[in-house]
Amino acid sequence: MDIDVRLRMFTWFADYSGAVAVSRMGPEEITRARSRRLSHNVVTSRVFGPMPRGVFVTDRVASTDAGAVPVRLYRPHTARALPVVVNFHGGGGTLGNLDQSDWLCAHVASRVGALVVSVDYRLAPEHSFPAGRDDGYAAVTWAAREAAALGARPDRLAVMGDSAGGNLAAVVCLLAREAGPVIDAQVLLYPALDLTFERPSVDRFAAGPVLTRTDMEVFRSHYLGPAGDPTDPLVSPLLAPDVTDLPPALVVTAAVDPLHDDGADYARRLDEAGVPVRHTDHARAVHGFLTFPGVCRASATALDDVCAELVARLA
């Protein structure tokens, strides 16, 4: 596989350390893994990127129609009214926490001049579908409703997510098309959009690196539970019969990723439906590459694209 050499070394280390071996985790190991917090020291800053200056970070609990949903707010040091970007972290609907999105959310807040709301949605296996989806949609509705009270603009709203978070962002757009609120842009980073796993790239990169087909099957089993249906468009938005009238989209894919075709095919469907869409495909990059700016050269380019798209759509 043609992968950036620094990224290849990092993925070898991650595989050796077991950091991504979800297929070997039981429920207790999953709970411990998701509760680990990243300490922003010299080592993590080199791998996950340094936090920008001038961004204020606060944790709070949003009172939503789905109940209490923890969120983390990133606010740049500016007095003007801010657009709102709601972010969903990745992790297969099973792993992940707000810490892993700190770098991305803080840089988007700083460079776009936006209030970023990162959502700590419920995770499987304790909370299978539709718990995470319900939290995601409720958090976006809350952010739109409370924007003015948060010092932001209720008429400028975007959603963003990576991997499973990209799934939630796309699903929220489908729900909001029918019932509101108005969403001005969606940013989908190597999103998981077809949980039937029938796209060619799933088999082409079944052994990874970073994400394997076995990992994906474990994630799906936890996320859907015994009664979930992977063909449900609110599980697999790529299978939605109608994708017209959705928000303009930026779809970012990695060339060496079992989810590559999810993003590429969704971008094509949006384009055919008349939805403004940009699809950027990063050669020599693997799933999750934007999370590792210190070891992946493509991360900086992808971040530039994300921020430029949000500035253009939320201006």
Side-chain angles (χ1 to χ4, degrees), residues 33-57:
R34 78 163 71 114
S35 66
R36 298 185 190 119
R37 298 183 61 87
L38 290 176
S39 58
H40 291 285
N41 54 32
V42 174
V43 174
T44 56
S45 291
R46 288 185 181 276
V47 174
F48 299 103
M51 295 286 283
R53 297 180 182 274
V55 176
F56 300 101
V57 183

mmCIF file with all atom_site columns, all heavy atoms in Angstrom, residues 33-57:
data_model
loop_
_atom_site.group_PDB
_atom_site.id
_atom_site.type_symbol
_atom_site.label_atom_id
_atom_site.label_alt_id
_atom_site.label_comp_id
_atom_site.label_asym_id
_atom_site.label_entity_id
_atom_site.label_seq_id
_atom_site.pdbx_PDB_ins_code
_atom_site.Cartn_x
_atom_site.Cartn_y
_atom_site.Cartn_z
_atom_site.occupancy
_atom_site.B_iso_or_equiv
_atom_site.pdbx_formal_charge
_atom_site.auth_seq_id
_atom_site.auth_comp_id
_atom_site.auth_asym_id
_atom_site.auth_atom_id
_atom_site.pdbx_PDB_model_num
ATOM 1   N N   . ALA A 1 33 ? -11.441 2.092  27.591 1.00 0.00 ? 33 ALA A N   1
ATOM 2   C CA  . ALA A 1 33 ? -10.791 2.790  26.481 1.00 0.00 ? 33 ALA A CA  1
ATOM 3   C C   . ALA A 1 33 ? -11.440 4.142  26.228 1.00 0.00 ? 33 ALA A C   1
ATOM 4   O O   . ALA A 1 33 ? -10.762 5.135  25.990 1.00 0.00 ? 33 ALA A O   1
ATOM 5   C CB  . ALA A 1 33 ? -10.848 1.931  25.222 1.00 0.00 ? 33 ALA A CB  1
ATOM 6   N N   . ARG A 1 34 ? -12.766 4.211  26.289 1.00 0.00 ? 34 ARG A N   1
ATOM 7   C CA  . ARG A 1 34 ? -13.428 5.474  25.974 1.00 0.00 ? 34 ARG A CA  1
ATOM 8   C C   . ARG A 1 34 ? -13.314 6.488  27.111 1.00 0.00 ? 34 ARG A C   1
ATOM 9   O O   . ARG A 1 34 ? -13.512 7.684  26.903 1.00 0.00 ? 34 ARG A O   1
ATOM 10  C CB  . ARG A 1 34 ? -14.884 5.240  25.599 1.00 0.00 ? 34 ARG A CB  1
ATOM 11  C CG  . ARG A 1 34 ? -15.820 4.997  26.753 1.00 0.00 ? 34 ARG A CG  1
ATOM 12  C CD  . ARG A 1 34 ? -17.266 5.179  26.324 1.00 0.00 ? 34 ARG A CD  1
ATOM 13  N NE  . ARG A 1 34 ? -17.712 4.103  25.452 1.00 0.00 ? 34 ARG A NE  1
ATOM 14  C CZ  . ARG A 1 34 ? -18.658 3.226  25.802 1.00 0.00 ? 34 ARG A CZ  1
ATOM 15  N NH1 . ARG A 1 34 ? -19.226 3.300  26.993 1.00 0.00 ? 34 ARG A NH1 1
ATOM 16  N NH2 . ARG A 1 34 ? -19.022 2.279  24.975 1.00 0.00 ? 34 ARG A NH2 1
ATOM 17  N N   . SER A 1 35 ? -12.987 6.008  28.319 1.00 0.00 ? 35 SER A N   1
ATOM 18  C CA  . SER A 1 35 ? -12.875 6.923  29.450 1.00 0.00 ? 35 SER A CA  1
ATOM 19  C C   . SER A 1 35 ? -11.489 7.550  29.563 1.00 0.00 ? 35 SER A C   1
ATOM 20  O O   . SER A 1 35 ? -11.290 8.465  30.358 1.00 0.00 ? 35 SER A O   1
ATOM 21  C CB  . SER A 1 35 ? -13.209 6.192  30.759 1.00 0.00 ? 35 SER A CB  1
ATOM 22  O OG  . SER A 1 35 ? -12.238 5.203  31.040 1.00 0.00 ? 35 SER A OG  1
ATOM 23  N N   . ARG A 1 36 ? -10.519 7.060  28.773 1.00 0.00 ? 36 ARG A N   1
ATOM 24  C CA  . ARG A 1 36 ? -9.177  7.632  28.843 1.00 0.00 ? 36 ARG A CA  1
ATOM 25  C C   . ARG A 1 36 ? -9.178  9.046  28.282 1.00 0.00 ? 36 ARG A C   1
ATOM 26  O O   . ARG A 1 36 ? -9.725  9.312  27.229 1.00 0.00 ? 36 ARG A O   1
ATOM 27  C CB  . ARG A 1 36 ? -8.181  6.771  28.066 1.00 0.00 ? 36 ARG A CB  1
ATOM 28  C CG  . ARG A 1 36 ? -8.019  5.366  28.604 1.00 0.00 ? 36 ARG A CG  1
ATOM 29  C CD  . ARG A 1 36 ? -6.922  4.620  27.844 1.00 0.00 ? 36 ARG A CD  1
ATOM 30  N NE  . ARG A 1 36 ? -6.923  3.206  28.204 1.00 0.00 ? 36 ARG A NE  1
ATOM 31  C CZ  . ARG A 1 36 ? -7.140  2.220  27.353 1.00 0.00 ? 36 ARG A CZ  1
ATOM 32  N NH1 . ARG A 1 36 ? -7.347  2.489  26.078 1.00 0.00 ? 36 ARG A NH1 1
ATOM 33  N NH2 . ARG A 1 36 ? -7.136  0.964  27.754 1.00 0.00 ? 36 ARG A NH2 1
ATOM 34  N N   . ARG A 1 37 ? -8.524  9.940  28.962 1.00 0.00 ? 37 ARG A N   1
ATOM 35  C CA  . ARG A 1 37 ? -8.434  11.324 28.515 1.00 0.00 ? 37 ARG A CA  1
ATOM 36  C C   . ARG A 1 37 ? -7.045  11.595 27.972 1.00 0.00 ? 37 ARG A C   1
ATOM 37  O O   . ARG A 1 37 ? -6.048  11.073 28.463 1.00 0.00 ? 37 ARG A O   1
ATOM 38  C CB  . ARG A 1 37 ? -8.726  12.304 29.669 1.00 0.00 ? 37 ARG A CB  1
ATOM 39  C CG  . ARG A 1 37 ? -10.135 12.170 30.227 1.00 0.00 ? 37 ARG A CG  1
ATOM 40  C CD  . ARG A 1 37 ? -10.379 13.206 31.315 1.00 0.00 ? 37 ARG A CD  1
ATOM 41  N NE  . ARG A 1 37 ? -10.241 14.550 30.790 1.00 0.00 ? 37 ARG A NE  1
ATOM 42  C CZ  . ARG A 1 37 ? -11.235 15.232 30.215 1.00 0.00 ? 37 ARG A CZ  1
ATOM 43  N NH1 . ARG A 1 37 ? -12.410 14.675 30.074 1.00 0.00 ? 37 ARG A NH1 1
ATOM 44  N NH2 . ARG A 1 37 ? -11.040 16.462 29.786 1.00 0.00 ? 37 ARG A NH2 1
ATOM 45  N N   . LEU A 1 38 ? -7.003  12.405 26.936 1.00 0.00 ? 38 LEU A N   1
ATOM 46  C CA  . LEU A 1 38 ? -5.712  12.808 26.368 1.00 0.00 ? 38 LEU A CA  1
ATOM 47  C C   . LEU A 1 38 ? -5.121  13.935 27.199 1.00 0.00 ? 38 LEU A C   1
ATOM 48  O O   . LEU A 1 38 ? -5.787  14.938 27.453 1.00 0.00 ? 38 LEU A O   1
ATOM 49  C CB  . LEU A 1 38 ? -5.889  13.299 24.918 1.00 0.00 ? 38 LEU A CB  1
ATOM 50  C CG  . LEU A 1 38 ? -6.237  12.253 23.867 1.00 0.00 ? 38 LEU A CG  1
ATOM 51  C CD1 . LEU A 1 38 ? -6.455  12.943 22.526 1.00 0.00 ? 38 LEU A CD1 1
ATOM 52  C CD2 . LEU A 1 38 ? -5.135  11.217 23.746 1.00 0.00 ? 38 LEU A CD2 1
ATOM 53  N N   . SER A 1 39 ? -3.885  13.776 27.646 1.00 0.00 ? 39 SER A N   1
ATOM 54  C CA  . SER A 1 39 ? -3.186  14.874 28.319 1.00 0.00 ? 39 SER A CA  1
ATOM 55  C C   . SER A 1 39 ? -2.366  15.605 27.266 1.00 0.00 ? 39 SER A C   1
ATOM 56  O O   . SER A 1 39 ? -1.612  14.998 26.516 1.00 0.00 ? 39 SER A O   1
ATOM 57  C CB  . SER A 1 39 ? -2.266  14.339 29.419 1.00 0.00 ? 39 SER A CB  1
ATOM 58  O OG  . SER A 1 39 ? -1.320  13.438 28.887 1.00 0.00 ? 39 SER A OG  1
ATOM 59  N N   . HIS A 1 40 ? -2.545  16.918 27.189 1.00 0.00 ? 40 HIS A N   1
ATOM 60  C CA  . HIS A 1 40 ? -1.897  17.690 26.128 1.00 0.00 ? 40 HIS A CA  1
ATOM 61  C C   . HIS A 1 40 ? -0.465  18.028 26.544 1.00 0.00 ? 40 HIS A C   1
ATOM 62  O O   . HIS A 1 40 ? -0.140  19.141 26.932 1.00 0.00 ? 40 HIS A O   1
ATOM 63  C CB  . HIS A 1 40 ? -2.718  18.948 25.828 1.00 0.00 ? 40 HIS A CB  1
ATOM 64  C CG  . HIS A 1 40 ? -4.024  18.636 25.189 1.00 0.00 ? 40 HIS A CG  1
ATOM 65  N ND1 . HIS A 1 40 ? -4.143  18.255 23.869 1.00 0.00 ? 40 HIS A ND1 1
ATOM 66  C CD2 . HIS A 1 40 ? -5.277  18.606 25.705 1.00 0.00 ? 40 HIS A CD2 1
ATOM 67  C CE1 . HIS A 1 40 ? -5.414  18.033 23.590 1.00 0.00 ? 40 HIS A CE1 1
ATOM 68  N NE2 . HIS A 1 40 ? -6.113  18.230 24.680 1.00 0.00 ? 40 HIS A NE2 1
ATOM 69  N N   . ASN A 1 41 ? 0.404   17.011 26.440 1.00 0.00 ? 41 ASN A N   1
ATOM 70  C CA  . ASN A 1 41 ? 1.806   17.214 26.755 1.00 0.00 ? 41 ASN A CA  1
ATOM 71  C C   . ASN A 1 41 ? 2.604   17.302 25.455 1.00 0.00 ? 41 ASN A C   1
ATOM 72  O O   . ASN A 1 41 ? 2.041   17.370 24.361 1.00 0.00 ? 41 ASN A O   1
ATOM 73  C CB  . ASN A 1 41 ? 2.313   16.085 27.660 1.00 0.00 ? 41 ASN A CB  1
ATOM 74  C CG  . ASN A 1 41 ? 2.038   14.707 27.058 1.00 0.00 ? 41 ASN A CG  1
ATOM 75  O OD1 . ASN A 1 41 ? 2.045   14.545 25.838 1.00 0.00 ? 41 ASN A OD1 1
ATOM 76  N ND2 . ASN A 1 41 ? 1.790   13.726 27.910 1.00 0.00 ? 41 ASN A ND2 1
ATOM 77  N N   . VAL A 1 42 ? 3.923   17.275 25.562 1.00 0.00 ? 42 VAL A N   1
ATOM 78  C CA  . VAL A 1 42 ? 4.766   17.428 24.380 1.00 0.00 ? 42 VAL A CA  1
ATOM 79  C C   . VAL A 1 42 ? 4.534   16.298 23.383 1.00 0.00 ? 42 VAL A C   1
ATOM 80  O O   . VAL A 1 42 ? 4.422   16.513 22.175 1.00 0.00 ? 42 VAL A O   1
ATOM 81  C CB  . VAL A 1 42 ? 6.256   17.493 24.798 1.00 0.00 ? 42 VAL A CB  1
ATOM 82  C CG1 . VAL A 1 42 ? 7.144   17.493 23.558 1.00 0.00 ? 42 VAL A CG1 1
ATOM 83  C CG2 . VAL A 1 42 ? 6.517   18.733 25.643 1.00 0.00 ? 42 VAL A CG2 1
ATOM 84  N N   . VAL A 1 43 ? 4.428   15.048 23.880 1.00 0.00 ? 43 VAL A N   1
ATOM 85  C CA  . VAL A 1 43 ? 4.264   13.900 22.996 1.00 0.00 ? 43 VAL A CA  1
ATOM 86  C C   . VAL A 1 43 ? 2.936   13.973 22.248 1.00 0.00 ? 43 VAL A C   1
ATOM 87  O O   . VAL A 1 43 ? 2.874   13.837 21.017 1.00 0.00 ? 43 VAL A O   1
ATOM 88  C CB  . VAL A 1 43 ? 4.387   12.582 23.781 1.00 0.00 ? 43 VAL A CB  1
ATOM 89  C CG1 . VAL A 1 43 ? 4.077   11.400 22.870 1.00 0.00 ? 43 VAL A CG1 1
ATOM 90  C CG2 . VAL A 1 43 ? 5.780   12.457 24.386 1.00 0.00 ? 43 VAL A CG2 1
ATOM 91  N N   . THR A 1 44 ? 1.842   14.172 22.982 1.00 0.00 ? 44 THR A N   1
ATOM 92  C CA  . THR A 1 44 ? 0.538   14.204 22.324 1.00 0.00 ? 44 THR A CA  1
ATOM 93  C C   . THR A 1 44 ? 0.422   15.401 21.394 1.00 0.00 ? 44 THR A C   1
ATOM 94  O O   . THR A 1 44 ? -0.237  15.316 20.358 1.00 0.00 ? 44 THR A O   1
ATOM 95  C CB  . THR A 1 44 ? -0.602  14.244 23.354 1.00 0.00 ? 44 THR A CB  1
ATOM 96  O OG1 . THR A 1 44 ? -0.430  15.373 24.225 1.00 0.00 ? 44 THR A OG1 1
ATOM 97  C CG2 . THR A 1 44 ? -0.640  12.979 24.170 1.00 0.00 ? 44 THR A CG2 1
ATOM 98  N N   . SER A 1 45 ? 1.052   16.506 21.725 1.00 0.00 ? 45 SER A N   1
ATOM 99  C CA  . SER A 1 45 ? 1.007   17.667 20.834 1.00 0.00 ? 45 SER A CA  1
ATOM 100 C C   . SER A 1 45 ? 1.697   17.372 19.515 1.00 0.00 ? 45 SER A C   1
ATOM 101 O O   . SER A 1 45 ? 1.269   17.845 18.458 1.00 0.00 ? 45 SER A O   1
ATOM 102 C CB  . SER A 1 45 ? 1.659   18.881 21.507 1.00 0.00 ? 45 SER A CB  1
ATOM 103 O OG  . SER A 1 45 ? 0.874   19.347 22.575 1.00 0.00 ? 45 SER A OG  1
ATOM 104 N N   . ARG A 1 46 ? 2.787   16.579 19.565 1.00 0.00 ? 46 ARG A N   1
ATOM 105 C CA  . ARG A 1 46 ? 3.489   16.243 18.325 1.00 0.00 ? 46 ARG A CA  1
ATOM 106 C C   . ARG A 1 46 ? 2.645   15.326 17.442 1.00 0.00 ? 46 ARG A C   1
ATOM 107 O O   . ARG A 1 46 ? 2.709   15.408 16.218 1.00 0.00 ? 46 ARG A O   1
ATOM 108 C CB  . ARG A 1 46 ? 4.832   15.588 18.642 1.00 0.00 ? 46 ARG A CB  1
ATOM 109 C CG  . ARG A 1 46 ? 5.881   16.554 19.188 1.00 0.00 ? 46 ARG A CG  1
ATOM 110 C CD  . ARG A 1 46 ? 7.215   15.865 19.354 1.00 0.00 ? 46 ARG A CD  1
ATOM 111 N NE  . ARG A 1 46 ? 8.227   16.771 19.887 1.00 0.00 ? 46 ARG A NE  1
ATOM 112 C CZ  . ARG A 1 46 ? 8.943   17.606 19.147 1.00 0.00 ? 46 ARG A CZ  1
ATOM 113 N NH1 . ARG A 1 46 ? 8.741   17.650 17.839 1.00 0.00 ? 46 ARG A NH1 1
ATOM 114 N NH2 . ARG A 1 46 ? 9.838   18.384 19.698 1.00 0.00 ? 46 ARG A NH2 1
ATOM 115 N N   . VAL A 1 47 ? 1.860   14.443 18.052 1.00 0.00 ? 47 VAL A N   1
ATOM 116 C CA  . VAL A 1 47 ? 1.056   13.498 17.274 1.00 0.00 ? 47 VAL A CA  1
ATOM 117 C C   . VAL A 1 47 ? -0.298  14.097 16.917 1.00 0.00 ? 47 VAL A C   1
ATOM 118 O O   . VAL A 1 47 ? -0.708  14.099 15.747 1.00 0.00 ? 47 VAL A O   1
ATOM 119 C CB  . VAL A 1 47 ? 0.858   12.189 18.059 1.00 0.00 ? 47 VAL A CB  1
ATOM 120 C CG1 . VAL A 1 47 ? -0.108  11.256 17.312 1.00 0.00 ? 47 VAL A CG1 1
ATOM 121 C CG2 . VAL A 1 47 ? 2.192   11.495 18.274 1.00 0.00 ? 47 VAL A CG2 1
ATOM 122 N N   . PHE A 1 48 ? -1.000  14.606 17.917 1.00 0.00 ? 48 PHE A N   1
ATOM 123 C CA  . PHE A 1 48 ? -2.364  15.072 17.718 1.00 0.00 ? 48 PHE A CA  1
ATOM 124 C C   . PHE A 1 48 ? -2.458  16.563 17.409 1.00 0.00 ? 48 PHE A C   1
ATOM 125 O O   . PHE A 1 48 ? -3.539  17.071 17.132 1.00 0.00 ? 48 PHE A O   1
ATOM 126 C CB  . PHE A 1 48 ? -3.219  14.749 18.955 1.00 0.00 ? 48 PHE A CB  1
ATOM 127 C CG  . PHE A 1 48 ? -3.304  13.283 19.242 1.00 0.00 ? 48 PHE A CG  1
ATOM 128 C CD1 . PHE A 1 48 ? -2.564  12.711 20.245 1.00 0.00 ? 48 PHE A CD1 1
ATOM 129 C CD2 . PHE A 1 48 ? -4.118  12.469 18.475 1.00 0.00 ? 48 PHE A CD2 1
ATOM 130 C CE1 . PHE A 1 48 ? -2.634  11.352 20.505 1.00 0.00 ? 48 PHE A CE1 1
ATOM 131 C CE2 . PHE A 1 48 ? -4.199  11.108 18.723 1.00 0.00 ? 48 PHE A CE2 1
ATOM 132 C CZ  . PHE A 1 48 ? -3.454  10.543 19.747 1.00 0.00 ? 48 PHE A CZ  1
ATOM 133 N N   . GLY A 1 49 ? -1.331  17.269 17.448 1.00 0.00 ? 49 GLY A N   1
ATOM 134 C CA  . GLY A 1 49 ? -1.326  18.676 17.081 1.00 0.00 ? 49 GLY A CA  1
ATOM 135 C C   . GLY A 1 49 ? -1.494  19.582 18.287 1.00 0.00 ? 49 GLY A C   1
ATOM 136 O O   . GLY A 1 49 ? -2.247  19.272 19.214 1.00 0.00 ? 49 GLY A O   1
ATOM 137 N N   . PRO A 1 50 ? -0.808  20.728 18.286 1.00 0.00 ? 50 PRO A N   1
ATOM 138 C CA  . PRO A 1 50 ? -0.940  21.668 19.401 1.00 0.00 ? 50 PRO A CA  1
ATOM 139 C C   . PRO A 1 50 ? -2.264  22.405 19.334 1.00 0.00 ? 50 PRO A C   1
ATOM 140 O O   . PRO A 1 50 ? -2.822  22.643 18.256 1.00 0.00 ? 50 PRO A O   1
ATOM 141 C CB  . PRO A 1 50 ? 0.240   22.630 19.176 1.00 0.00 ? 50 PRO A CB  1
ATOM 142 C CG  . PRO A 1 50 ? 0.456   22.595 17.699 1.00 0.00 ? 50 PRO A CG  1
ATOM 143 C CD  . PRO A 1 50 ? 0.154   21.190 17.268 1.00 0.00 ? 50 PRO A CD  1
ATOM 144 N N   . MET A 1 51 ? -2.777  22.758 20.481 1.00 0.00 ? 51 MET A N   1
ATOM 145 C CA  . MET A 1 51 ? -4.010  23.545 20.544 1.00 0.00 ? 51 MET A CA  1
ATOM 146 C C   . MET A 1 51 ? -3.707  24.993 20.192 1.00 0.00 ? 51 MET A C   1
ATOM 147 O O   . MET A 1 51 ? -2.672  25.539 20.586 1.00 0.00 ? 51 MET A O   1
ATOM 148 C CB  . MET A 1 51 ? -4.604  23.462 21.941 1.00 0.00 ? 51 MET A CB  1
ATOM 149 C CG  . MET A 1 51 ? -5.060  22.068 22.337 1.00 0.00 ? 51 MET A CG  1
ATOM 150 S SD  . MET A 1 51 ? -6.581  21.572 21.499 1.00 0.00 ? 51 MET A SD  1
ATOM 151 C CE  . MET A 1 51 ? -7.778  22.503 22.467 1.00 0.00 ? 51 MET A CE  1
ATOM 152 N N   . PRO A 1 52 ? -4.578  25.644 19.430 1.00 0.00 ? 52 PRO A N   1
ATOM 153 C CA  . PRO A 1 52 ? -4.344  27.051 19.098 1.00 0.00 ? 52 PRO A CA  1
ATOM 154 C C   . PRO A 1 52 ? -4.566  27.947 20.305 1.00 0.00 ? 52 PRO A C   1
ATOM 155 O O   . PRO A 1 52 ? -5.297  27.599 21.242 1.00 0.00 ? 52 PRO A O   1
ATOM 156 C CB  . PRO A 1 52 ? -5.397  27.318 18.013 1.00 0.00 ? 52 PRO A CB  1
ATOM 157 C CG  . PRO A 1 52 ? -6.506  26.377 18.349 1.00 0.00 ? 52 PRO A CG  1
ATOM 158 C CD  . PRO A 1 52 ? -5.837  25.136 18.883 1.00 0.00 ? 52 PRO A CD  1
ATOM 159 N N   . ARG A 1 53 ? -3.948  29.101 20.271 1.00 0.00 ? 53 ARG A N   1
ATOM 160 C CA  . ARG A 1 53 ? -4.160  30.081 21.336 1.00 0.00 ? 53 ARG A CA  1
ATOM 161 C C   . ARG A 1 53 ? -5.448  30.859 21.086 1.00 0.00 ? 53 ARG A C   1
ATOM 162 O O   . ARG A 1 53 ? -5.919  30.955 19.962 1.00 0.00 ? 53 ARG A O   1
ATOM 163 C CB  . ARG A 1 53 ? -2.972  31.044 21.406 1.00 0.00 ? 53 ARG A CB  1
ATOM 164 C CG  . ARG A 1 53 ? -1.653  30.375 21.749 1.00 0.00 ? 53 ARG A CG  1
ATOM 165 C CD  . ARG A 1 53 ? -0.521  31.396 21.797 1.00 0.00 ? 53 ARG A CD  1
ATOM 166 N NE  . ARG A 1 53 ? 0.767   30.768 22.086 1.00 0.00 ? 53 ARG A NE  1
ATOM 167 C CZ  . ARG A 1 53 ? 1.212   30.515 23.305 1.00 0.00 ? 53 ARG A CZ  1
ATOM 168 N NH1 . ARG A 1 53 ? 0.456   30.848 24.354 1.00 0.00 ? 53 ARG A NH1 1
ATOM 169 N NH2 . ARG A 1 53 ? 2.382   29.941 23.499 1.00 0.00 ? 53 ARG A NH2 1
ATOM 170 N N   . GLY A 1 54 ? -5.978  31.430 22.151 1.00 0.00 ? 54 GLY A N   1
ATOM 171 C CA  . GLY A 1 54 ? -7.115  32.324 22.009 1.00 0.00 ? 54 GLY A CA  1
ATOM 172 C C   . GLY A 1 54 ? -8.454  31.643 21.821 1.00 0.00 ? 54 GLY A C   1
ATOM 173 O O   . GLY A 1 54 ? -9.398  32.271 21.341 1.00 0.00 ? 54 GLY A O   1
ATOM 174 N N   . VAL A 1 55 ? -8.555  30.363 22.179 1.00 0.00 ? 55 VAL A N   1
ATOM 175 C CA  . VAL A 1 55 ? -9.828  29.650 22.112 1.00 0.00 ? 55 VAL A CA  1
ATOM 176 C C   . VAL A 1 55 ? -10.214 29.223 23.517 1.00 0.00 ? 55 VAL A C   1
ATOM 177 O O   . VAL A 1 55 ? -9.444  28.549 24.207 1.00 0.00 ? 55 VAL A O   1
ATOM 178 C CB  . VAL A 1 55 ? -9.744  28.417 21.192 1.00 0.00 ? 55 VAL A CB  1
ATOM 179 C CG1 . VAL A 1 55 ? -11.050 27.638 21.211 1.00 0.00 ? 55 VAL A CG1 1
ATOM 180 C CG2 . VAL A 1 55 ? -9.404  28.840 19.765 1.00 0.00 ? 55 VAL A CG2 1
ATOM 181 N N   . PHE A 1 56 ? -11.398 29.631 23.938 1.00 0.00 ? 56 PHE A N   1
ATOM 182 C CA  . PHE A 1 56 ? -11.886 29.302 25.275 1.00 0.00 ? 56 PHE A CA  1
ATOM 183 C C   . PHE A 1 56 ? -12.730 28.036 25.201 1.00 0.00 ? 56 PHE A C   1
ATOM 184 O O   . PHE A 1 56 ? -13.645 27.932 24.377 1.00 0.00 ? 56 PHE A O   1
ATOM 185 C CB  . PHE A 1 56 ? -12.712 30.457 25.838 1.00 0.00 ? 56 PHE A CB  1
ATOM 186 C CG  . PHE A 1 56 ? -11.943 31.737 25.946 1.00 0.00 ? 56 PHE A CG  1
ATOM 187 C CD1 . PHE A 1 56 ? -12.100 32.734 24.989 1.00 0.00 ? 56 PHE A CD1 1
ATOM 188 C CD2 . PHE A 1 56 ? -11.041 31.946 26.974 1.00 0.00 ? 56 PHE A CD2 1
ATOM 189 C CE1 . PHE A 1 56 ? -11.383 33.918 25.074 1.00 0.00 ? 56 PHE A CE1 1
ATOM 190 C CE2 . PHE A 1 56 ? -10.324 33.115 27.065 1.00 0.00 ? 56 PHE A CE2 1
ATOM 191 C CZ  . PHE A 1 56 ? -10.495 34.102 26.109 1.00 0.00 ? 56 PHE A CZ  1
ATOM 192 N N   . VAL A 1 57 ? -12.420 27.064 26.047 1.00 0.00 ? 57 VAL A N   1
ATOM 193 C CA  . VAL A 1 57 ? -13.068 25.754 26.022 1.00 0.00 ? 57 VAL A CA  1
ATOM 194 C C   . VAL A 1 57 ? -13.817 25.551 27.337 1.00 0.00 ? 57 VAL A C   1
ATOM 195 O O   . VAL A 1 57 ? -13.237 25.680 28.419 1.00 0.00 ? 57 VAL A O   1
ATOM 196 C CB  . VAL A 1 57 ? -12.032 24.634 25.821 1.00 0.00 ? 57 VAL A CB  1
ATOM 197 C CG1 . VAL A 1 57 ? -12.737 23.279 25.726 1.00 0.00 ? 57 VAL A CG1 1
ATOM 198 C CG2 . VAL A 1 57 ? -11.192 24.888 24.572 1.00 0.00 ? 57 VAL A CG2 1
#
